[in-house]
Amino acid sequence: MLDFTLNDHPSLTKLMIGKENIPVLIIDGFANKADDLISCAGDGSLFRADQQNFYPGKRFLAPAIYSEEICKKYLPLFKSYFGFDNATSAKALMSAFAVSDRAPEHLKPIQMLPHFDTANINQLAVVHYLCEPEHGGTSFYRHRASAFESITAARLVNYGQQLKKEAIAQQLHKNPCYVNSDNSLFEQFYSVAARMNRAVIYPSMALHSGDINPILGLSSDPKIGRLTIGSFIYVE
């Protein structure tokens, strides 16, 4: 029987990053049996591209017990470290295996820029790396023109309008590529390296991007490519 439970005694690193002091939690030794999770992902044949979001690859839902474990084990840290002092529950909005396999020439302009998942302050993102460091971790960015490092509801409209104008002016479609360093629109101010069985947790409103390395071939095979489990957790 495969074991999808999480480690009761992982190694925790707590950080406050950027000028906005965004809380980030790095957890090494996240799952008890990372190999069992990789086995669950199979050969990638059940993964599907989702046209409703902009993830540059394919996904496959993770076992429910996995996301239930995140919510149960980490609610106390969600409360104490991410400012949800009065929260009584955490629930997974989504938890899915993901492989980044889209070739740069097929990227949409929005996939060439750092992004935020939602402006909702109650949502956290969990990225669990089931791959080696060379596949790339996750980096955090500051929008140069506004100096924003996260996008709240109050910032959303003006930021969206400004970024659209900048992206059009830059003509991103003429030079499609993954973002994994500074560019003319964004400054990369912190990076979390990928490591087998490492997880990083951060507010979903933070501007971020996966450090995807197309030189490795962007394999769709979970045992070869950039395999992660991405989860969105709502805390209230």
Side-chain angles (χ1 to χ4, degrees), residues 20-184:
E20 295 183 10
N21 288 319
I22 297 170
V24 172
L25 184 64
I26 300 172
I27 307 169
D28 287 302
F30 191 59
N32 282 316
K33 297 288 183 65
D35 287 347
D36 283 2
L37 286 165
I38 295 171
S39 294
C40 181
D43 62 2
S45 60
L46 297 177
F47 285 57
R48 296 289 182 269
D50 184 352
Q51 303 304 321
Q52 302 304 311
N53 66 62
F54 297 107
Y55 181 76
K58 301 182 181 73
R59 286 173 166 160
F60 171 56
L61 288 179
I65 189 174
Y66 172 86
S67 55
E68 291 167 1
E69 284 266 306
I70 295 175
C71 295
K72 179 178 66 175
K73 287 185 182 293
Y74 285 94
L75 178 58
L77 267 176
F78 296 158
K79 294 174 64 174
S80 64
Y81 191 61
F82 291 97
F84 300 115
D85 297 349
N86 298 318
T88 58
S89 68
K91 62 180 179 180
L93 303 179
M94 186 199 75
S95 191
F97 292 100
V99 285
S100 307
D101 64 356
R102 184 164 296 174
E105 59 268 25
H106 295 147
L107 293 174
K108 298 176 181 179
I110 195 170
Q111 295 172 316
M112 305 175 205
L113 297 168
H115 67 280
F116 63 101
D117 302 315
T118 179
N120 192 314
I121 62 174
N122 287 79
Q123 184 173 307
L124 298 173
V126 183
V127 180
H128 183 187
Y129 307 106
L130 295 171
C131 59
E132 299 302 330
E134 60 268 21
H135 288 284
T138 302
S139 289
F140 297 86
Y141 290 83
R142 180 180 302 113
H143 181 231
R144 293 185 187 276
S146 66
F148 293 161
E149 298 171 353
S150 60
I151 305 303
T152 62
R155 295 174 171 179
L156 182 58
V157 173
N158 289 339
Y159 172 76
Q161 292 172 345
Q162 185 173 17
L163 185 61
K164 184 177 181 178
K165 291 178 182 177
E166 292 175 338
I168 292 172
Q170 291 288 321
Q171 296 187 304
L172 297 177
H173 63 284
K174 292 187 176 181
N175 184 32
C177 62
Y178 282 101
V179 58
N180 51 28
S181 62
D182 292 351
N183 61 29
S184 60

Side-chain angles (χ1 to χ4, degrees), residues 216-227:
L216 294 179
L218 301 174
S219 176
S220 300
D221 184 338
K223 294 179 175 62
I224 299 173
R226 186 181 187 270
L227 178 64

